[in-house]
Amino acid sequence: MAVTAKPTLDADKLRADFPIFDQSFHGKPLAFLDSAASSQKPRQMLEAMTRFYETSYANVHRGVYQLAERATEALEAAREKSCRLINAPEAREVIFTRNATESLNLVAYAWGLTNLGPGDVVLVTELEHHSNFVPWQYIAGRTGASFRMLPLDAGGELRLDELEAVVGRGTAKVVATNLVSNSLGTVNDVARLAAWAHERGAIMVCDAAQAVPHKRVDVLALGCDFLAFSGHKLCGPSGIGVLWGRAELLEAMEPFLLGGHMIKKVRLEETTWGDLPHKFEAGTAPMAEAVGLGAAIDYLGEIGFEAIEQHEHELVEYALGRFSELPSVTLYGPPADRRAGIVSFNVDGVHPHDVAQILDLEGVAIRAGHHCCQPLMTKLGVAATNRASFYLYTVPEEIDRLVEGVRKAKKLLG
Amino acid sequence: MADRYAGLVSGFDDLYRENILDHYKNPRNHGRIEPAGASAEGMNPLCGDEVTITVAFDEDGETIGDVRFEGRGCAISQASTSMLTELVKGRRAAEVLAFDKDELLDEVGIPLTPVRLKCAILGLHTLKVALGRATGAETDADEDIDVR
């Protein structure tokens, strides 16, 4: 009989790749449960960046000497890896930015300022991170377009049945959503939203910052027009992000940042723009960061995205089960089968800052706050939540320590 | 590096010591004075801590005869506001407007990271705004704190 084995990974073994775990905090080993904010870094990625600085460093694209050639090749190899990571059709559609926020600002400014106007509707969701909310709100305001929000249901999932009602008689021009919510871990049906957006003639902008590090993401299967993610959440360095966009849209767009490298010809009367992706990459690129991103993509690829997703799914099931033992804990978000490795919760009578601080004293790092999702917090009727988030190096014992720490906080302050 | 904060936050005994827990669980001068001689609502939008402070002046119009607070938020914000009410009762408004935050922090008595410092001084800034409004004096309120 054929048995389909689920892909697995050995988190205990992988932890040895991460030097941060060699330290202790408050005399206890670090249980890092804040990977949704930023991930820890494997030695392989750090070494790749050091090696680049030591052996291949010069400014890219402009030099004619061999060293500059080598640096350029390293940058472009990272672009190729990023392209394959999300199954993008062409590497020239992959633009390096500083982070996912800059990627989303690029689309909002460079596409939105030209294409939006009165009567148009920009639709975001109640689940958005401020990075995919505030730029659209601002550009809608600048252009006279209407800015609207698709609501959530009580379980923390998008009310897709409300799409028509929310847009009403306006012309939908932009639908912007995340693939995975950073606050609740909700996995959104972006493919369905993209199909709806395209029927209405709108573009689909996907913030995949919480998805690309944790699961296989395919821009063609999603059917989106733009997709953003950051390097630092997927074991890469801070300071690099990616914007993927369909070539025909990127080509028709105005530039975003202007200056060196993004030009073709500069005359007093007029300047013309470079080809993709250079048109959107003004100034010196984040070269070593790109090399680090490429190394991180290789590292994750070797472990396998299916294995990472499965591992985090098991952790989330375990965490939700353990928390259900505590009557004082309120959990937010959908069931385990429709959420990524993120658990948001509150402890009755104990402010999240106190919970997080008490956990810190136990060596457990979680986030407490609004998670850059103030509209969502308003919906939940809270000022803040606690959030624990998992990655490939998270082990169940850390969730046990989390639950024990929450018990302690409740006993002390509740 | 691991213990950069070792002297700053060292354990339960320091951060959640009896004094803080006592004021958090049994806040002093809790409630609201109506009508109030001075009042303000302060909020730290970063973490959602809230306090509303109301003051009644003595017949001289400047001595704080009574002060009450209501609020919700973390233990540090609520306990420090409770301690503050004990410190300022019987003092003149001008004196409290010039009140140095270190005097309150000494009373709180625990070392705080910059993030938690905002929680600890929420009540003091809210009170200063309330007194400033009532007396027309300038205040040095923290701009990260919203006061209505």
Side-chain angles (χ1 to χ4, degrees):
Chain A
M1 200 174 83
V3 176
T4 317
K6 284 190 173 157
T8 54
L9 59 79
D10 184 346
D12 283 302
K13 200 170 143 219
L14 291 172
R15 286 169 80 85
D17 294 335
F18 292 78
I20 201 91
F21 296 122
D22 297 345
Q23 290 173 78
S24 59
F25 289 83
H26 306 295
K28 297 181 177 113
L30 172 64
F32 184 74
L33 302 180
D34 195 22
S35 290
S38 198
S39 69
Q40 293 302 339
K41 312 305 171 199
R43 198 172 273 114
Q44 290 87 332
M45 186 283 284
L46 300 169
E47 284 169 359
M49 286 181 75
T50 303
R51 205 159 46 239
F52 173 74
Y53 274 127
E54 288 177 352
T55 66
S56 309
Y57 187 80
N59 209 334
V60 293
H61 294 306
R62 286 177 279 282
V64 291
Y65 47 93
Q66 192 186 1
L67 187 57
E69 255 327 286
R70 206 184 282 170
T72 305
E73 277 167 23
L75 178 76
E76 294 309 316
R79 197 187 306 278
E80 289 286 344
K81 287 174 190 178
S82 304
C83 175
R84 286 196 295 275
L85 176 70
I86 55 172
N87 195 31
E90 298 178 67
R92 68 189 181 108
E93 297 173 321
V94 172
I95 293 152
F96 286 135
T97 61
R98 266 192 314 142
N99 46 40
T101 295
E102 187 179 296
S103 299
L104 293 164
N105 272 273
L106 193 164
V107 183
Y109 274 87
W111 192 90
L113 278 181
T114 319
N115 291 290
L116 292 173
D120 294 337
V121 173
V122 176
L123 182 66
V124 301
T125 84
E126 204 166 17
L127 210 45
E128 285 326 289
H129 188 284
H130 295 161
S131 63
N132 204 22
F133 187 103
V134 180
W136 291 115
Q137 183 182 44
Y138 177 73
I139 296 297
R142 286 266 301 262
T143 56
S146 167
F147 179 70
R148 296 182 199 170
M149 189 167 80
L150 186 65
L152 285 179
D153 66 20
E157 295 183 270
L158 295 178
R159 288 281 307 271
L160 296 181
D161 58 317
E162 286 283 315
L163 276 169
E164 300 292 339
V166 172
V167 172
R169 287 194 193 149
T171 309
K173 277 288 187 72
V174 177
V175 179
T177 184
N178 51 40
L179 179 49
V180 170
S181 152
N182 72 304
S183 278
L184 302 183
T186 313
V187 181
N188 293 311
D189 192 348
V190 170
R192 203 170 136 198
L193 270 167
W196 183 87
H198 291 153
E199 250 170 55
R200 304 284 294 239
I203 59 162
M204 179 74 221
V205 182
C206 180
D207 167 10
Q210 297 292 346
V212 172
H214 305 282
K215 59 194 279 184
R216 193 162 291 287
V217 171
D218 179 334
V219 294
L220 299 179
L222 290 174
C224 56
D225 298 295
F226 294 97
L227 181 131
F229 64 95
S230 60
H232 70 94
K233 285 187 166 72
L234 54 80
C235 294
S238 58
I240 187 156
V242 168
L243 173 70
W244 169 80
R246 287 203 291 122
E248 61 189 271
L249 291 171
L250 291 171
E251 275 171 347
M253 275 155 65
E254 293 294 315
F256 174 47
L257 300 174
L258 302 111
H261 184 67
M262 52 78 66
I263 49 85
K264 203 167 260 171
K265 257 190 218 165
V266 180
R267 301 283 181 271
L268 180 60
E269 302 73 27
E270 190 195 21
T271 293
T272 54
W273 319 130
D275 293 329
L276 294 178
H278 313 297
K279 179 170 120 182
F280 293 106
E281 293 185 347
T284 291
M287 300 173 286
E289 288 78 5
V291 168
L293 172 65
I297 291 170
D298 287 344
Y299 178 78
L300 297 176
E302 254 171 61
I303 296 164
F305 284 93
E306 286 76 12
I308 294 170
E309 189 180 7
Q310 177 62 24
H311 175 69
E312 293 174 14
H313 175 70
E314 285 165 14
L315 291 168
V316 138
E317 273 195 322
Y318 182 67
L320 294 178
R322 288 295 323 263
F323 271 131
S324 68
E325 297 165 15
L326 304 182
S328 61
V329 167
T330 304
L331 292 164
Y332 304 101
D337 61 339
R338 294 199 298 282
R339 82 153 85 194
I342 292 173
V343 177
S344 260
F345 63 96
N346 265 319
V347 185
D348 188 27
V350 190
H351 190 279
H353 267 177
D354 291 320
V355 176
Q357 189 109 51
I358 288 168
L359 284 165
D360 178 50
L361 300 173
E362 297 291 317
V364 180
I366 66 158
R367 178 113 335 201
H370 55 60
H371 318 298
C372 297
C373 291
Q374 288 178 4
L376 173 63
M377 295 296 119
T378 305
K379 167 82 167 200
L380 298 175
V382 297
T385 70
N386 303 283
R387 181 189 70 187
S389 53
F390 315 135
Y391 207 6
L392 55 94
Y393 40 69
T394 308
V395 291
E397 293 73 27
E398 292 173 316
I399 293 170
D400 293 336
R401 288 172 60 196
L402 167 69
V403 171
E404 275 321 299
V406 167
R407 238 189 256 277
K408 196 162 187 172
K410 175 67 187 167
K411 200 172 150 203
L412 199 62
L413 293 172
Chain B
M1 168 62 213
D3 284 322
R4 204 178 122 206
Y5 286 103
L8 211 50
V9 177
S10 45
F12 289 108
D13 297 344
D14 280 351
L15 194 63
Y16 293 99
R17 67 195 182 115
E18 246 355 273
N19 191 21
I20 302 275
L21 290 178
D22 179 37
H23 275 271
Y24 177 59
K25 290 181 176 171
N26 311 295
R28 320 295 196 267
N29 301 308
H30 198 255
R32 187 184 284 258
I33 299 163
E34 285 185 74
S39 72
E41 290 172 49
M43 183 185 177
N44 180 347
L46 292 175
C47 55
D49 290 339
E50 289 172 8
V51 295
T52 301
I53 300 187
T54 47
V55 173
F57 294 111
D58 282 346
E59 280 169 15
D60 64 5
E62 57 172 344
T63 305
I64 297 175
D66 196 7
V67 54
R68 303 265 159 178
F69 85 100
E70 286 175 343
R72 57 174 196 160
C74 67
I76 306 293
S77 70
Q78 302 303 305
S80 69
T81 306
S82 170
M83 291 173 185
L84 174 72
T85 59
E86 291 193 317
L87 284 175
V88 300
K89 212 182 263 191
R91 296 206 200 189
R92 286 181 303 110
E95 207 183 324
V96 175
L97 280 164
F99 195 94
D100 189 76
K101 70 176 189 296
D102 289 338
E103 192 178 335
L104 174 63
L105 295 177
D106 282 349
E107 186 68 21
V108 174
I110 53 172
L112 293 165
T113 56
V115 171
R116 300 314 295 277
L117 193 64
K118 298 271 183 206
C119 307
I121 61 176
L122 172 64
L124 177 59
H125 280 279
T126 306
L127 177 61
K128 283 191 178 184
V129 171
L131 296 175
R133 279 181 196 156
T135 63
E138 292 276 313
T139 60
D140 56 353
D142 188 312
E143 58 188 33
D144 285 348
I145 293 173
D146 285 347
V147 184
R148 276 174 301 201

